[in-house]
Amino acid sequence: MRPVAYPYPVLPVSDLPDPEWFLASGDDLTSLRDGIDAWDAEVPLVLHAPLEAWPAFDDLFQASGLHEALQHATLAVLVETGPSPITGHRFTAFREPLRAIDREAGLTIKLDSSQLIEKVTLHFLITVDSCMVPGFELRSGSVLFRHAFSFPLEGSFANFPVRPVSFTERKWSPGFWQVDVGLISDLDQSLLGTLLVYLNSDHADVIERLNSGNDRALECLFQADIVSTVLQVILMDESLEPDIGQTYADGSIGQAASDWLAGLRDDATSLLNVAMLREEMVSRPGVFHARCQAFALMEVGT
Amino acid sequence: MSWLFPQIPRPDAEQLIDLFNADFANRCFSGFEHPQRFYQASGGDRLPDEELKVARAAIIDIAKQSGFPDQPPTSTRNQAYARFEAAVAEWFAGWAALDVDRPGVAAETTRRDWWSYLTLVVLPDVACWRWVSETQGNLLKHERFLGGGRNTFQRIHRRVLCLDRGTDHPDRFGLIRELKEDDFSAILERPSLSSSPRIARMIAEELLLMRARLSEAGWGLGQQQSVYRQAIKDLCAYGIVTVFDLLDDAQLQDVVRESFLQCEIRLKRDVPQPCNSDGHGKRSRLIGAFRYLLSGSSEPAADGSST
C-alpha cells in the first residue's frame, strides 16, 4: 500500500444535497448553524437530518453505475469532538444499512452529552462493504459519499469564565452578577482570558435559572450586560481603535467586539459608525444599553 | 456523574510560566487556589480539592521513585522518565475522577485549561522536574505546561485513553509501557488515526510485533522507525478513501498489518541485510562511541550545556 491516487466510482455530489443538521426538541427543530447556546453536559443531545430532498437510493445508485453496491452500502455518522484534533476523540454514533433508511423520516441520532466538548463535527458517510461494481473491486469501508458539518457546542457565551462568589461575604454591592474586564492592551488578546463574570452565589436561584437555558429574558439581560460592559471599556480607550469589519485573531476580544458593534449598528434604524456609537454611549447611556439588550435579545432568540 | 474540573484561562497560565521562568524559586507548589480558577458553567459537580490533594500526593510518590526532586542521572534519565510516565498513566487509569473505565471518553477530562491547571497549580514542581533536561537556558517550554497534546500530564492521559488495553487484558498497560517516545508521537499526533482508540491500539500492537520481528532479524531501531513511520503515513493516506472506524476488528487488523508488512518488505529490499556477528556488533559500538565523543550526547545536560 502506497500513498498514491486510488480512483474508484463514487456517488455524484451534485445529485445529493448536503444534509442539514437540526437540534430536535420534541417536534421543534432548530438549525445547528449557530451552535447550541443551552447545551448541558448532563442532557442528551438529539440531532436530526431530514433526507426527503434526496433521490431514491435505487435511482441514485443505478444512475451512478453503482447498482451492485447498494445492497452493500451503509449510512454512518461519525462524531468527532474535542478542544483540538490532537486532544479530541471520535466515535460512531449511527450505522445502518442504506436500504433500511427511511428518507421521509430522515435520520435522528441521540448523543451522550458527557462525551462531547467545545466543538462537534458530524461526518455523514455512505460507505460499502467489499463488493464488485463494473470495472472495480471496492474494498471494505470505501467512501461513496462524505459530508462534514461542524458546530460550536457551547454557544458564544457558555465558555466564559464564570466564578460564583458570595457578594455579601466580599461586601460587594448585592447585584446578581458582576462583569470584570481585565486589562486590555491589545484587541488580539483572548476574550475568554480577559473576562471574568462573578455570579452572586447568594442568589443560587438566579444561577440556576441562567444555567437552565429556559429563562430567555434573564439570559438576554446577562448577555447584554457583558456586551455593554466590554464595549464601554473598549470604546472609552482611544488607543485600542476598534473597527467594524477589521480582522482580529480568532477568539480575541477584538473579534467579539467587532461582531457586537456590527450587530448594534445593523440593529439600528439608521446605520451608525463606531464614533456615533461611542458618542451615544457617553451622552445617552440608557439608549446604548437598550441597544445592547435588543442585540442580546436577537442573539438569544435565534 | 460528570465532574467539572478546575481550570485556569490560557493567558493566566502563560503568566504563571513566565513567573516560573523569571525566577527558579517560583517553581513550587503554593496551594490549590488561584485567583483565576474557574469551572465550566454546565451540569455536574465540581471536583473537590480533596481529590486534587490525592492526585498531588500520588504523583509525587511516583516521581520520587524516579529520583524526584533530584534529577535522575543522565545515563538513565530517559528510562527514569519513561518509568515515571508509565506509572502515572496507570495511576490516571485508576483515578475515579478521570472515569477512564466508562464507555466512551468523559469529555470534561479533555479540557485543555484543566490540564494547564493541573500542571501549573497542582503539580508545578513535578512538571518542572520532568522537563528540566529539555530546557535551554533554564527556560520552560510553554507546550509542556499549557493544556494540549504535549502537556506534561495531558499527553499521559491521552496515552491512557488511546492505548489502554482494557481491564480484562492480562497486560492492560503493556502498550503504554513498551512504546517509546517517538512511537507515541507517531501514533498519537495523527488525529485521523488516534482519535479512535480502537485504531490507535491496533496500530500500536502491530508496531510492537514489527519491532519484535525486525529485532529478531538484527535490524536496528533506526530501520524500525523508518518502517513504522512509512506504514503510518500510508495508513493516513489510505484512510482518506476508507473509513477505518467502520471496519470490524479482523478487517482493520488486516489493513494495518498489510501496511506494516509491505513497508518491511521494501526495507529488506532496499537496505543491506544487517549482520548479526559479534565482530560487527563490536564495530558498531566502537563507531557509536566515536560519534559520541565527536558530537556529544544526544540529550543536553541539566544546565542546558552539552557534555
Side-chain angles (χ1 to χ4, degrees), chain A residues 23 32 34-40 45 47 151-156 158:
Chain A
L23 175 66
L32 285 171
D34 300 323
I36 301 172
D37 281 337
W39 175 81
D40 190 284
L45 205 57
L47 306 179
F151 61 96
L153 188 61
E154 293 154 333
S156 52

Side-chain angles (χ1 to χ4, degrees), chain B residues 114-175:
Chain B
W114 143 242
W115 291 102
S116 298
Y117 173 85
L118 184 77
T119 311
L120 287 159
V121 178
V122 179
L123 290 157
D125 38 3
V126 178
C128 292
W129 165 80
R130 169 61 186 89
W131 295 110
V132 74
S133 64
E134 197 189 59
T135 62
Q136 298 294 324
N138 228 348
L139 292 178
L140 302 171
K141 284 188 180 174
H142 283 221
E143 65 180 13
R144 302 299 186 191
F145 293 81
L146 297 176
R150 295 189 170 180
N151 170 278
T152 309
F153 297 108
Q154 190 168 8
R155 68 195 205 118
I156 300 176
H157 180 239
R158 187 154 176 83
R159 290 173 193 176
V160 178
L161 293 180
C162 298
L163 301 170
D164 175 359
R165 285 166 162 159
T167 48
D168 295 338
H169 197 284
D171 187 13
R172 178 177 177 184
F173 302 107
L175 292 175

Side-chain angles (χ1 to χ4, degrees), chain A residues 157 216-233 235 256-257 259-268 272 277-278 280-282 284-301:
Chain A
F157 281 89
R216 295 299 201 197
L218 187 65
E219 225 179 292
C220 167
L221 287 176
F222 181 69
Q223 296 200 5
D225 215 17
I226 292 170
V227 170
S228 71
T229 309
V230 172
L231 289 182
Q232 271 173 20
V233 173
L235 292 175
D259 289 349
W260 292 343
L261 287 169
L264 294 185
R265 182 195 62 179
D266 294 344
D267 184 45
L272 299 174
L277 284 168
R278 183 185 286 119
E280 182 178 86
M281 187 186 76
V282 175
R284 293 190 299 161
V287 175
F288 179 78
H289 200 74
R291 199 183 296 289
C292 291
Q293 284 178 11
F295 169 67
L297 188 63
M298 200 170 62
E299 290 286 294
V300 169

Side-chain angles (χ1 to χ4, degrees), chain A residues 27 33 89 142 169-170 188 201 245 260 268 277 280-281 285:
Chain A
D27 289 337
R33 280 186 199 152
H89 63 280
S142 296
E169 277 176 23
R170 296 195 172 207
D188 278 322
S201 59
W260 292 343
L277 284 168
E280 182 178 86
M281 187 186 76

Side-chain angles (χ1 to χ4, degrees), chain B residues 126-275:
Chain B
V126 178
C128 292
W129 165 80
R130 169 61 186 89
W131 295 110
V132 74
S133 64
E134 197 189 59
T135 62
Q136 298 294 324
N138 228 348
L139 292 178
L140 302 171
K141 284 188 180 174
H142 283 221
E143 65 180 13
R144 302 299 186 191
F145 293 81
L146 297 176
R150 295 189 170 180
N151 170 278
T152 309
F153 297 108
Q154 190 168 8
R155 68 195 205 118
I156 300 176
H157 180 239
R158 187 154 176 83
R159 290 173 193 176
V160 178
L161 293 180
C162 298
L163 301 170
D164 175 359
R165 285 166 162 159
T167 48
D168 295 338
H169 197 284
D171 187 13
R172 178 177 177 184
F173 302 107
L175 292 175
I176 296 170
R177 208 178 47 247
E178 298 298 329
L179 291 175
K180 299 178 189 307
E181 190 67 45
D182 279 349
D183 308 341
F184 287 123
S185 303
I187 299 170
L188 300 184
E189 293 188 4
R190 288 195 164 80
S192 65
L193 303 175
S194 66
S195 290
S196 160
R198 188 175 68 107
I199 299 171
R201 276 195 298 275
M202 200 76 86
I203 293 170
E205 298 282 7
E206 198 55 44
L207 194 157
L208 291 183
L209 288 173
M210 174 277 296
R211 176 158 289 151
R213 283 192 301 268
L214 291 190
S215 296
E216 176 75 13
W219 297 90
L221 282 177
Q223 282 91 23
Q224 294 168 22
Q225 198 175 50
S226 44
V227 166
Y228 74 68
R229 280 188 177 167
Q230 189 56 52
I232 290 172
K233 273 188 205 169
D234 288 359
L235 284 169
C236 285
Y238 187 43
I240 292 170
V241 291
T242 305
V243 184
F244 295 148
D245 302 66
L246 301 180
L247 300 182
D248 63 34
D249 285 352
Q251 290 171 324
L252 180 59
Q253 192 170 39
D254 282 349
V255 169
V256 173
R257 184 156 296 168
E258 188 191 338
S259 175
F260 274 82
L261 287 177
Q262 291 211 8
C263 289
E264 278 180 52
I265 290 168
R266 284 201 298 275
L267 172 83
K268 288 173 180 170
R269 190 187 60 210
D270 299 341
V271 179
Q273 186 72 16
C275 174

